[in-house]
Amino acid sequence: MATIVDIQQEKALEVKNFEFTYAGADLPSIKKLNMPIAKNAITALIGPSGCGKTTLLRSFNRIHDLYPGNKYEGEILFNDKNILSSKEDLINLRIKIGMIFQKPTAFPMSIYDNVAYGMRLQGIKNKTELSNRVEKALQDAAIWKEVKDRLKHDANGLSGGQQQRLCIARAIAVEPEVLLFDEPTSALDPISTAGIEELVVELKERVSIIIVTHNMQQAARVSDYTGFMYLGELIELGRTEEMFVSPREKLTEEYITGKFG
Amino acid sequence: MTHTQKRIIINKVVMSLSTLSAMIGMTFLFWILGVLVINGIEALNWTTFSEVGAPPGYEESGLKHALIGQLYIVGVAAFAGVPLGILAGTYLSEYGQKSRLAEIIRDVSDIMMSAPSIVIGAFVYAIVVTPMGHFSGWAGSIALTIIMLPIILRTTDDMLRLVPATLREAAFALGAPKYKVILQVVYRGAKVGILTGVLLGVARVAGETAPLLFTSFNDNFLNTDMSEPMASLTVTMYNYATSPYEDWQKLGWAAAFILSMFILGLNIIARVFLMKKRGK
Amino acid sequence: MNQILDKIFAHATKFIALSVLLIVAWIFTTLFEQSLFSLQASGFDFITETLWAPNLEKFGALPAIYGSVVSTFLAMVLAVPIAIGVAIFLSELAPAKLKSPVGVSIELLAAIPSVIYGMWGLFYFVPIVRDIFGGVGISMLSAGIVLSIMILPFMAAVTRDAMNTTPDILKESAYALGGTKWDVIKDVIIPYAKAGIIGSFILALGRAIGETMAVTFVMGNVHKISTDLTQPATSIPVALANEFTEADTQIYYSSLFELSLLLLVISFTIISIAKFYFLRRKRVGA
């Protein structure tokens, strides 16, 4: 059984007896997983590649549903509702739970249109409201100063780090409750990485954050809670400052001391 | 109705339209294939292969003349076009590489692949048929060779460039001269790819009709003399299909069926080769 | 010895590769030379004159040009939306079980020679056009429809290939913002693959305008400009296919060569636009 620290504060998400099986696979990639996710905090998911951390992350907004044949079991509770239910409205779910990917994913449109995209999907047409919210999102993503004079330029002209901030701006512009980060700095240089990390920490005031990272230092730097996953199971979930100093599980200790992974 | 509901409805409508258009497309395509198979099989029998074309009304009428003519015309075109195309492709990949000249040859070949084939027929008419004074199998073969050349050239070029540079370097390191490296190492490495290109090139010209209309023309009798007008499956099919005689039209369907099966067969074999290559 | 053979091989391949350029140049000059007589006789009138009457030695190519333009336009108007629909179906919609068989059969159908499409059109489609729209069935309309069916597989296949170049992660990020399939297609996939899609449409246009056999069966070769699509008509390749072996005077021949030259120039231009403006070649290994 996993060692799970008691989370006193409110929970953003609650994973219960969750199993996930990829299309065509015989065995589940995630097995009977239980895990609370704290509200307005950053939870990092770490573990060796193939441990299921990205698979778990991609279950929270059910992006797995884009590919037929994937199977969920158990429950993921979000605002007291099981989002794995077949009746779940995926469009609304994804508006409330945003995602940032391993690589910057600027759409083939202008900087402004990228940020406005999610709002436009929700039917916001009012020009002043749109441009106010675009500006706010860009400011919150700490990129406003760099792009304010070229909002109509193609977003693909930005650098990698800038594009990733743009994607964050695009995600927070629709005011989600949860943000999922899937190794958001794996394609970036150290300076851009530091900037994104800083930004992630600032964002937790407003959203609950789950971040998958292959970089333990990053988990230690940014997160409040860390979950260590191994072979599709959650081994330990603890307060980050405690877990990196005195892990309770032997496997966790071996992993964070670099004995495998 | 909220905006999101509207989006969901629009999505459903567009996705239904897309499925519908796929169904429309498939309907036409299966319709054509079905017509081809049903009419073709009905029209096919032994005399189709054993007899030459007879005037309308004769029982003993077949496509022997067209099949043999087709074999000659396409065979000669392939005999010339395949080696020429492979050698030209070899130049692009192994010598010209990214030079200006090589790039121009690639671009012009790409354009030629989509250029109207009837114009090639007109060209060959001017340079071969007019000086000779009459239509001939040779003229047909020359037209098809010109059409085939850029196809084989481009696939050879692409396939040779897929051969890893280390393979060439290893051969050079053993002291082999370049032509031997190409003939013995590079060609071997790209064998399947080149073969695929050849099959597709032959399949493509085998279905050409327009460039043969006024080069090899037609002949209702069996002829194996390439310097005379010669029947081909495609031109015969065109003539029979547009004739008012039902038994000729039937032969036309038989020709259409044989031709399509041949071309589809070559395409399927080429695909299987490619799949095997990718599987490796 | 090896050195000599090496040189021979290098020069031989180069010469053969160059021959492609020589042949193309030769085609242009030959067609031009053969057209000279007609060019001198009728000059610019050739493309503006509407009367094509070999018995009167009058050769106006406008009806054939008009027929080429209208039949190709009809074909594009019909084929483009269906090709996009099929491409969307194949790249985003079809269940995995259907994707490959439908995709492969569409590609195989693109390999079927156009003469087969023409023959099918004559026997099976022309009667339907006649019953629905009146006239004799052999018409501009039939030509446009048969042509559209012929270019559909090619267009659908290349459009699908272009759409498939959109990275999954880009599509996922649009879904992650709450987009529907159609939102993702119109806002991300189509803009991303725009150049490839437009390029392949123009390439299909370039092929369609030079297509001979699919339309020769069903168009009728009547040199008359009519706005009534149910009337027989002609196009440049149709006129060539029908009349080349019948030409009996020098001016008749020369006029047909001028038609060929015109067709070659038009399709070369269209294909070049598609190729150089929209479809920059993807390098192997690059």
Side-chain angles (χ1 to χ4, degrees):
Chain A
M1 248 341 254
T3 308
I4 294 170
V5 75
D6 194 24
I7 290 177
Q8 255 108 41
Q9 70 207 89
E10 227 182 306
K11 292 173 191 78
L13 289 154
E14 178 108 51
V15 184
K16 286 185 167 168
N17 281 324
F18 177 63
E19 287 210 351
F20 181 86
T21 314
Y22 277 109
D26 295 327
L27 296 172
S29 298
I30 293 178
K31 292 161 223 152
K32 294 278 174 226
L33 191 136
N34 287 286
M35 182 177 187
I37 306 283
K39 201 165 190 168
N40 289 94
I42 300 174
T43 305
L45 291 173
I46 60 168
S49 17
C51 69
K53 54 191 193 296
T54 295
T55 305
L56 177 62
L57 190 80
R58 287 163 65 90
S59 304
F60 292 128
N61 66 348
R62 290 192 47 188
I63 205 89
H64 288 301
D65 287 49
L66 299 181
Y67 310 98
N70 294 328
K71 223 166 68 217
Y72 307 96
E73 265 164 65
E75 292 184 323
I76 297 178
L77 295 179
F78 175 56
N79 295 336
D80 302 323
K81 256 178 49 201
N82 178 17
I83 61 164
L84 299 182
S85 137
S86 56
K87 279 173 279 173
E88 179 65 29
D89 175 354
L90 293 185
I91 290 178
N92 271 320
L93 174 72
R94 289 172 188 158
I95 291 171
K96 290 194 188 112
I97 302 186
M99 191 171 208
I100 309 295
F101 293 79
Q102 302 97 308
K103 281 190 234 153
T105 54
F107 297 148
M109 46 180 93
S110 73
I111 294 169
Y112 182 93
D113 289 340
N114 258 282
V115 183
Y117 186 71
M119 294 182 274
R120 286 196 174 126
L121 282 183
Q122 290 178 33
I124 299 170
K125 289 199 185 91
N126 183 306
K127 280 210 176 119
T128 12
E129 187 188 353
L130 272 179
S131 57
N132 287 342
R133 285 178 63 178
V134 167
E135 180 178 341
K136 173 130 199 324
L138 287 167
Q139 266 165 352
D140 291 347
I143 190 187
W144 171 250
K145 277 188 202 140
E146 292 156 70
V147 300
K148 65 171 191 241
D149 298 323
R150 45 170 170 159
L151 291 174
K152 296 286 163 210
H153 289 213
D154 187 356
N156 279 300
L158 298 174
S159 73
Q162 288 173 325
Q163 285 193 27
Q164 196 62 305
R165 284 158 185 279
L166 179 73
C167 294
I168 294 174
R170 188 173 67 194
I172 58 180
V174 294
E175 292 166 357
E177 294 173 36
V178 179
L179 265 185
L180 311 170
F181 287 83
D182 184 9
E183 303 190 12
T185 59
S186 61
L188 302 180
D189 61 87
I191 294 172
S192 309
T193 299
I196 299 284
E197 286 179 6
E198 216 174 288
L199 180 56
V200 170
V201 174
E202 279 167 26
L203 286 173
K204 75 172 170 183
E205 303 293 317
R206 295 189 283 144
V207 287
S208 313
I209 289 169
I210 309 173
I211 179 168
V212 162
T213 176
H214 57 263
N215 177 337
M216 273 181 282
Q217 283 76 32
Q218 183 167 67
R221 279 193 300 263
V222 303
S223 68
D224 303 298
Y225 295 92
T226 298
F228 168 62
M229 288 181 70
Y230 185 64
L231 297 177
E233 291 180 62
L234 179 69
I235 304 300
E236 182 170 352
L237 174 72
R239 274 175 223 295
T240 300
E241 71 266 18
E242 288 166 16
M243 209 171 108
F244 279 93
V245 181
S246 52
R248 297 188 213 172
E249 292 280 336
K250 198 160 172 291
L251 263 173
T252 317
E253 186 187 336
E254 282 174 7
Y255 181 70
I256 59 181
T257 53
K259 293 220 173 81
F260 71 92
Chain B
M1 188 166 58
T2 68
H3 185 75
T4 299
Q5 283 169 326
K6 211 161 94 190
R7 282 198 292 134
I8 292 171
I9 292 170
I10 293 175
N11 181 57
K12 283 201 176 124
V13 171
V14 177
M15 292 308 124
S16 314
L17 285 176
S18 157
T19 311
L20 182 71
S21 52
M23 275 158 52
I24 293 175
M26 293 308 280
T27 307
F28 273 111
L29 304 169
F30 279 111
W31 185 6
I32 294 170
L33 269 190
V35 159
L36 204 55
V37 170
I38 291 167
N39 286 320
I41 289 181
E42 198 198 312
L44 269 189
N45 56 45
W46 181 239
T47 51
T48 315
F49 298 97
S50 66
E51 298 296 324
V52 299
Y58 281 75
E59 278 287 310
E60 305 279 289
S61 186
L63 294 167
K64 191 180 174 189
H65 62 304
L67 283 164
I68 290 182
Q70 177 89 1
L71 220 59
Y72 271 79
I73 296 169
V74 176
V76 169
F79 189 75
V82 169
L84 290 177
I86 291 178
L87 288 172
T90 306
Y91 170 76
L92 295 185
S93 156
E94 305 300 313
Y95 296 95
Q97 298 177 7
K98 286 187 178 162
S99 68
R100 185 88 191 251
L101 176 68
E103 289 293 321
I104 293 173
I105 294 173
R106 284 188 188 107
D107 288 337
V108 170
S109 304
D110 283 353
I111 296 173
M112 282 305 287
M113 274 197 266
S114 297
S117 57
I118 193 159
V119 170
I120 311 289
F123 165 67
V124 173
Y125 183 90
I127 61 156
V128 181
V129 177
T130 311
M132 274 178 85
H134 55 84
F135 302 109
S136 68
W138 292 120
S141 291
I142 290 170
L144 296 190
T145 305
I146 294 174
I147 294 168
M148 196 192 262
L149 189 59
I151 304 173
I152 310 262
L153 173 154
R154 290 293 281 122
T155 38
T156 305
D157 178 24
D158 284 345
M159 292 303 163
L160 293 186
R161 278 188 294 163
L162 285 176
V163 177
T166 47
L167 212 61
R168 293 183 183 86
E169 286 161 13
F172 279 122
L174 293 171
K178 189 159 185 171
Y179 80 95
K180 274 197 180 154
V181 174
I182 293 170
L183 292 176
Q184 294 170 352
V185 177
V186 181
Y187 280 171
R188 211 162 284 181
K191 199 170 52 189
V192 177
I194 297 176
L195 189 60
T196 310
V198 168
L199 289 176
L200 292 176
V202 172
R204 162 76 199 277
V205 298
E208 284 294 349
T209 314
L212 298 182
L213 288 173
F214 29 90
T215 52
S216 54
F217 195 60
N218 200 4
D219 186 346
N220 278 331
F221 299 99
L222 184 61
N223 169 33
T224 52
D225 181 357
M226 291 284 291
S227 57
E228 291 297 320
M230 212 174 212
S232 59
L233 261 186
T234 49
V235 176
T236 303
M237 180 184 147
Y238 172 58
N239 287 340
Y240 281 0
T242 48
S243 78
Y245 314 110
E246 226 168 86
D247 47 350
W248 273 16
Q249 291 173 0
K250 234 175 133 179
L251 271 180
W253 282 114
F257 178 72
I258 297 169
L259 185 72
S260 309
M261 291 307 124
F262 176 71
I263 289 170
L264 288 181
L266 284 184
N267 272 280
I268 290 168
I269 294 170
R271 253 161 207 291
V272 172
F273 277 143
L274 268 189
M275 255 157 45
K276 276 203 182 136
K277 192 175 146 86
R278 282 202 203 110
K280 257 195 279 184
Chain C
M1 187 60 197
N2 269 336
Q3 273 177 344
I4 300 169
L5 283 172
D6 230 11
K7 274 222 170 94
I8 294 176
F9 189 76
H11 282 100
T13 57
K14 185 172 185 177
F15 175 74
I16 297 166
L18 273 171
S19 72
V20 173
L21 299 184
L22 292 178
I23 290 171
V24 173
W26 193 6
I27 292 173
F28 272 99
T29 49
T30 303
L31 294 184
F32 182 73
E33 269 171 27
Q34 300 287 331
S35 318
L36 261 182
F37 191 69
S38 156
L39 277 165
Q40 282 160 348
S42 53
F44 207 67
D45 289 348
F46 185 73
I47 54 170
T48 55
E49 190 57 55
T50 57
L51 182 66
W52 179 277
N55 50 343
L56 305 173
E57 302 212 334
K58 290 274 186 211
F59 298 95
L62 196 59
I65 297 169
Y66 171 81
S68 284
V69 171
V70 174
S71 61
T72 312
F73 177 76
L74 261 177
M76 294 300 286
V77 166
L78 294 170
V80 163
I82 296 185
I84 294 177
V86 174
I88 290 176
F89 180 79
L90 285 177
S91 74
E92 303 299 317
L93 212 55
K97 266 185 238 152
L98 274 182
K99 216 171 245 189
S100 161
V102 175
V104 169
S105 45
I106 290 216
E107 281 167 33
L108 286 179
L109 282 156
I112 287 191
S114 58
V115 63
I116 308 275
Y117 285 88
M119 188 167 171
W120 166 82
L122 176 65
F123 285 100
Y124 290 87
F125 207 76
V126 163
I128 294 176
V129 170
R130 183 175 53 216
D131 292 345
I132 297 177
F133 298 99
V136 287
I138 302 250
S139 61
M140 184 79 94
L141 186 63
S142 300
I145 296 173
V146 172
L147 198 52
S148 75
I149 294 165
M150 202 212 87
I151 57 175
L152 177 65
F154 171 78
M155 272 168 72
V158 282
T159 307
R160 174 205 57 188
D161 292 345
M163 288 175 66
N164 278 346
T165 59
T166 316
D168 279 345
I169 193 171
L170 206 58
K171 297 189 230 168
E172 285 175 6
S173 8
Y175 284 114
L177 284 166
T180 62
K181 248 183 190 142
W182 173 237
D183 292 325
V184 177
I185 291 166
K186 80 173 164 28
D187 297 329
V188 176
I189 298 178
I190 290 178
Y192 185 88
K194 196 171 53 190
I197 294 173
I198 298 176
S200 52
F201 287 168
I202 298 178
L203 191 58
L205 170 76
R207 286 177 166 208
I209 208 159
E211 175 50 42
T212 310
M213 298 319 291
V215 284
T216 298
F217 281 92
V218 298
M219 207 164 185
N221 195 31
V222 172
H223 288 264
K224 225 174 110 187
I225 296 178
S226 167
T227 50
D228 181 355
L229 296 180
T230 62
Q231 289 300 309
T234 193
S235 73
I236 301 177
V238 169
L240 289 175
N242 278 290
E243 297 176 43
F244 217 99
T245 53
E246 288 170 7
D248 43 12
T249 56
Q250 194 190 357
I251 182 74
Y252 198 176
Y253 263 123
S254 189
S255 302
L256 288 171
F257 274 109
E258 197 178 343
L259 273 186
S260 312
L261 181 65
L262 192 63
L263 181 62
L264 185 62
V265 170
I266 294 171
S267 32
F268 238 77
T269 313
I270 295 174
I271 298 163
S272 304
I273 291 172
K275 218 185 117 32
F276 296 119
Y277 197 72
F278 294 102
L279 306 169
R280 263 150 271 143
R281 193 173 42 239
K282 282 163 218 116
R283 291 253 157 272
V284 175

